[in-house]
């Protein structure tokens, strides 16, 4: 996305389906846009964004600390998927609903 800014002009926010605050007091917004995860520092500057795969179906967002590491759980109703990611957008695993069955796919 580039350097930190007050509000990136290139980002057009969509319907917002989750706002979380991490342990560093950064605000994490999950919305239906090309940059579906946007992270702001405690002064309101946009410091990073990612997540074009959630542009059409972003719906739920949960921030959870596990063994000292913070992760995001994101859902997408268009793709029928729940994804566990790092705060940098690295996918740890995803679970899809396919033909009535759940399938967990571990990454890495």
């Amino acid at each position: 996305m580039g350097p930190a800014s007050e509000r990136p002009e290139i980002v057009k926010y969509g319907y917002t389906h989750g706002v979380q605050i991490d342990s560093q007091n950064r605000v994490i917004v999950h919305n239906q846009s090309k940059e579906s995860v946007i992270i702001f520092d405690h002064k309101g500057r946009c410091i990073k964004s990612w997540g074009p795969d959630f542009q059409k179906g972003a719906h739920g967002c949960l921030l959870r600390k596990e063994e000292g590491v913070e992760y995001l759980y994101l859902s997408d109703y268009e793709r029928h998927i729940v994804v566990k990611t790092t705060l940098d957008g690295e996918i740890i695993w995803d679970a899809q609903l396919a033909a009535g069955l759940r399938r967990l796919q571990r990454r890495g």
Side-chain angles (χ1 to χ4, degrees):
M1 181 187 80
S5 65
E6 294 298 321
R7 179 177 180 265
E9 293 304 319
I10 59 170
V11 174
K12 292 188 179 195
Y13 301 98
Y15 293 114
T16 299
H17 292 279
V19 177
Q20 302 288 327
I21 298 175
D22 73 4
S23 63
Q24 297 178 44
N25 286 325
R26 298 180 299 183
V27 177
I28 302 164
V29 178
H30 190 224
N31 74 107
Q32 291 180 339
S33 73
K34 186 175 179 184
E35 303 292 331
S36 67
V37 176
I38 305 168
I39 301 177
F40 297 91
D41 69 11
H42 68 282
K43 293 183 179 180
R45 291 180 299 200
C46 182
I47 56 174
K48 73 175 74 167
S49 62
W50 50 269
D53 293 343
F54 291 92
Q55 183 172 359
K56 293 183 179 179
H59 191 67
C61 175
L62 172 72
L63 177 67
R64 182 177 161 109
K65 188 176 252 187
E66 299 172 7
E67 297 180 9
V69 179
E70 291 178 300
Y71 296 98
L72 288 172
Y73 288 81
L74 307 171
S75 63
D76 183 323
Y77 67 83
E78 282 288 318
R79 297 183 298 147
H80 307 281
I81 192 169
V82 174
V83 177
K84 177 182 180 179
T85 73
T86 65
L87 298 186
D88 290 323
E90 176 189 345
I91 296 173
I92 305 301
W93 60 255
D94 62 51
Q96 284 188 307
L97 184 63
L101 302 174
R102 281 196 239 180
R103 184 176 56 208
L104 179 66
Q105 183 176 25
R106 295 197 182 270
R107 307 276 176 115

Short mmCIF file of all heavy atoms in Angstrom, two decimals, residues 37-60:
data_model
loop_
_atom_site.label_atom_id
_atom_site.label_comp_id
_atom_site.label_asym_id
_atom_site.label_seq_id
_atom_site.Cartn_x
_atom_site.Cartn_y
_atom_site.Cartn_z
N VAL A 37 -8.87 -5.47 4.60
CA VAL A 37 -8.34 -5.33 5.95
C VAL A 37 -7.45 -4.09 5.94
O VAL A 37 -6.49 -4.01 5.18
CB VAL A 37 -7.54 -6.57 6.39
CG1 VAL A 37 -6.91 -6.34 7.76
CG2 VAL A 37 -8.43 -7.79 6.42
N ILE A 38 -7.80 -3.12 6.77
CA ILE A 38 -7.05 -1.87 6.85
C ILE A 38 -6.65 -1.68 8.31
O ILE A 38 -7.48 -1.79 9.20
CB ILE A 38 -7.88 -0.67 6.37
CG1 ILE A 38 -8.40 -0.92 4.95
CG2 ILE A 38 -7.06 0.61 6.41
CD1 ILE A 38 -9.45 0.05 4.49
N ILE A 39 -5.36 -1.41 8.54
CA ILE A 39 -4.85 -1.26 9.89
C ILE A 39 -4.35 0.16 10.08
O ILE A 39 -3.55 0.67 9.29
CB ILE A 39 -3.73 -2.29 10.18
CG1 ILE A 39 -4.29 -3.71 9.99
CG2 ILE A 39 -3.19 -2.10 11.60
CD1 ILE A 39 -3.28 -4.82 10.18
N PHE A 40 -4.86 0.80 11.14
CA PHE A 40 -4.50 2.17 11.49
C PHE A 40 -3.70 2.14 12.79
O PHE A 40 -4.03 1.38 13.70
CB PHE A 40 -5.74 3.03 11.69
CG PHE A 40 -6.59 3.17 10.46
CD1 PHE A 40 -7.62 2.27 10.21
CD2 PHE A 40 -6.37 4.20 9.57
CE1 PHE A 40 -8.40 2.40 9.08
CE2 PHE A 40 -7.14 4.34 8.44
CZ PHE A 40 -8.16 3.44 8.18
N ASP A 41 -2.70 3.01 12.90
CA ASP A 41 -1.98 3.11 14.16
C ASP A 41 -2.81 3.91 15.16
O ASP A 41 -3.92 4.38 14.84
CB ASP A 41 -0.57 3.69 13.98
CG ASP A 41 -0.54 5.16 13.58
OD1 ASP A 41 -1.58 5.85 13.64
OD2 ASP A 41 0.55 5.63 13.21
N HIS A 42 -2.30 4.07 16.37
CA HIS A 42 -3.07 4.73 17.43
C HIS A 42 -3.32 6.21 17.16
O HIS A 42 -4.14 6.83 17.82
CB HIS A 42 -2.37 4.55 18.79
CG HIS A 42 -1.08 5.28 18.91
ND1 HIS A 42 0.09 4.83 18.34
CD2 HIS A 42 -0.78 6.44 19.50
CE1 HIS A 42 1.06 5.68 18.59
NE2 HIS A 42 0.57 6.68 19.31
N LYS A 43 -2.63 6.78 16.16
CA LYS A 43 -2.86 8.18 15.80
C LYS A 43 -3.81 8.31 14.61
O LYS A 43 -4.06 9.40 14.13
CB LYS A 43 -1.54 8.87 15.47
CG LYS A 43 -0.64 9.00 16.68
CD LYS A 43 0.64 9.74 16.33
CE LYS A 43 1.50 9.88 17.57
NZ LYS A 43 2.74 10.60 17.27
N GLY A 44 -4.31 7.17 14.11
CA GLY A 44 -5.25 7.21 13.01
C GLY A 44 -4.62 7.14 11.63
O GLY A 44 -5.32 7.26 10.63
N ARG A 45 -3.32 6.93 11.56
CA ARG A 45 -2.65 6.81 10.26
C ARG A 45 -2.78 5.39 9.73
O ARG A 45 -2.56 4.43 10.47
CB ARG A 45 -1.16 7.16 10.39
CG ARG A 45 -0.91 8.62 10.67
CD ARG A 45 0.56 8.86 10.79
NE ARG A 45 1.04 8.05 11.93
CZ ARG A 45 2.16 8.25 12.59
NH1 ARG A 45 2.96 9.21 12.23
NH2 ARG A 45 2.50 7.49 13.61
N CYS A 46 -3.12 5.27 8.48
CA CYS A 46 -3.21 3.97 7.83
C CYS A 46 -1.79 3.43 7.65
O CYS A 46 -0.96 4.07 6.99
CB CYS A 46 -3.92 4.11 6.49
SG CYS A 46 -4.13 2.54 5.66
N ILE A 47 -1.50 2.27 8.26
CA ILE A 47 -0.15 1.74 8.17
C ILE A 47 -0.03 0.53 7.25
O ILE A 47 1.06 0.23 6.77
CB ILE A 47 0.42 1.40 9.56
CG1 ILE A 47 -0.49 0.43 10.31
CG2 ILE A 47 0.62 2.68 10.36
CD1 ILE A 47 0.09 -0.06 11.63
N LYS A 48 -1.13 -0.16 7.00
CA LYS A 48 -1.08 -1.27 6.04
C LYS A 48 -2.50 -1.69 5.68
O LYS A 48 -3.45 -1.43 6.41
CB LYS A 48 -0.27 -2.46 6.55
CG LYS A 48 -0.92 -3.27 7.62
CD LYS A 48 -0.12 -4.51 7.99
CE LYS A 48 1.09 -4.12 8.79
NZ LYS A 48 1.76 -5.23 9.45
N SER A 49 -2.59 -2.33 4.53
CA SER A 49 -3.89 -2.86 4.10
C SER A 49 -3.64 -4.04 3.19
O SER A 49 -2.59 -4.16 2.56
CB SER A 49 -4.72 -1.79 3.39
OG SER A 49 -4.06 -1.34 2.23
N TRP A 50 -4.61 -4.93 3.13
CA TRP A 50 -4.51 -6.14 2.31
C TRP A 50 -5.89 -6.80 2.24
O TRP A 50 -6.82 -6.35 2.88
CB TRP A 50 -3.47 -7.12 2.87
CG TRP A 50 -3.62 -7.42 4.33
CD1 TRP A 50 -3.02 -6.75 5.36
CD2 TRP A 50 -4.41 -8.45 4.94
NE1 TRP A 50 -3.39 -7.30 6.57
CE2 TRP A 50 -4.23 -8.35 6.33
CE3 TRP A 50 -5.24 -9.45 4.43
CZ2 TRP A 50 -4.87 -9.21 7.22
CZ3 TRP A 50 -5.87 -10.31 5.32
CH2 TRP A 50 -5.68 -10.18 6.69
N GLY A 51 -6.01 -7.85 1.45
CA GLY A 51 -7.22 -8.65 1.45
C GLY A 51 -8.17 -8.50 0.29
O GLY A 51 -9.39 -8.51 0.50
N PRO A 52 -7.68 -8.39 -0.94
CA PRO A 52 -8.61 -8.23 -2.06
C PRO A 52 -9.55 -9.42 -2.26
O PRO A 52 -10.63 -9.26 -2.82
CB PRO A 52 -7.69 -8.05 -3.27
CG PRO A 52 -6.40 -8.69 -2.87
CD PRO A 52 -6.28 -8.45 -1.39
N ASP A 53 -9.19 -10.59 -1.75
CA ASP A 53 -10.05 -11.77 -1.90
C ASP A 53 -11.39 -11.62 -1.17
O ASP A 53 -12.35 -12.29 -1.49
CB ASP A 53 -9.35 -13.03 -1.39
CG ASP A 53 -8.15 -13.41 -2.23
OD1 ASP A 53 -8.04 -12.92 -3.38
OD2 ASP A 53 -7.32 -14.18 -1.74
N PHE A 54 -11.45 -10.72 -0.19
CA PHE A 54 -12.66 -10.52 0.60
C PHE A 54 -13.51 -9.36 0.10
O PHE A 54 -14.47 -8.97 0.75
CB PHE A 54 -12.29 -10.28 2.07
CG PHE A 54 -11.72 -11.49 2.75
CD1 PHE A 54 -10.36 -11.71 2.76
CD2 PHE A 54 -12.55 -12.42 3.36
CE1 PHE A 54 -9.82 -12.83 3.37
CE2 PHE A 54 -12.03 -13.54 3.97
CZ PHE A 54 -10.66 -13.74 3.98
N GLN A 55 -13.18 -8.81 -1.04
CA GLN A 55 -13.84 -7.61 -1.56
C GLN A 55 -15.36 -7.75 -1.63
O GLN A 55 -16.08 -6.83 -1.27
CB GLN A 55 -13.28 -7.27 -2.93
CG GLN A 55 -13.84 -6.01 -3.52
CD GLN A 55 -13.12 -5.60 -4.80
OE1 GLN A 55 -12.19 -6.25 -5.24
NE2 GLN A 55 -13.57 -4.53 -5.40
N LYS A 56 -15.85 -8.87 -2.06
CA LYS A 56 -17.30 -9.02 -2.24
C LYS A 56 -18.01 -9.65 -1.06
O LYS A 56 -19.21 -9.47 -0.90
CB LYS A 56 -17.58 -9.84 -3.50
CG LYS A 56 -17.17 -9.14 -4.76
CD LYS A 56 -17.54 -9.96 -5.98
CE LYS A 56 -17.14 -9.22 -7.24
NZ LYS A 56 -17.44 -9.98 -8.43
N GLY A 57 -17.30 -10.41 -0.22
CA GLY A 57 -18.01 -11.17 0.80
C GLY A 57 -17.54 -10.99 2.23
O GLY A 57 -17.93 -11.77 3.09
N ALA A 58 -16.69 -9.98 2.50
CA ALA A 58 -16.23 -9.77 3.87
C ALA A 58 -17.42 -9.67 4.81
O ALA A 58 -18.36 -8.94 4.53
CB ALA A 58 -15.38 -8.49 3.94
N HIS A 59 -17.37 -10.41 5.90
CA HIS A 59 -18.51 -10.35 6.80
C HIS A 59 -18.12 -10.33 8.27
O HIS A 59 -18.54 -9.45 8.99
CB HIS A 59 -19.47 -11.50 6.52
CG HIS A 59 -20.77 -11.33 7.23
ND1 HIS A 59 -21.66 -10.33 6.92
CD2 HIS A 59 -21.32 -12.00 8.27
CE1 HIS A 59 -22.70 -10.40 7.71
NE2 HIS A 59 -22.53 -11.41 8.55
N GLY A 60 -17.35 -11.27 8.74
CA GLY A 60 -17.01 -11.32 10.16
C GLY A 60 -15.52 -11.17 10.38
O GLY A 60 -14.72 -11.50 9.54
#
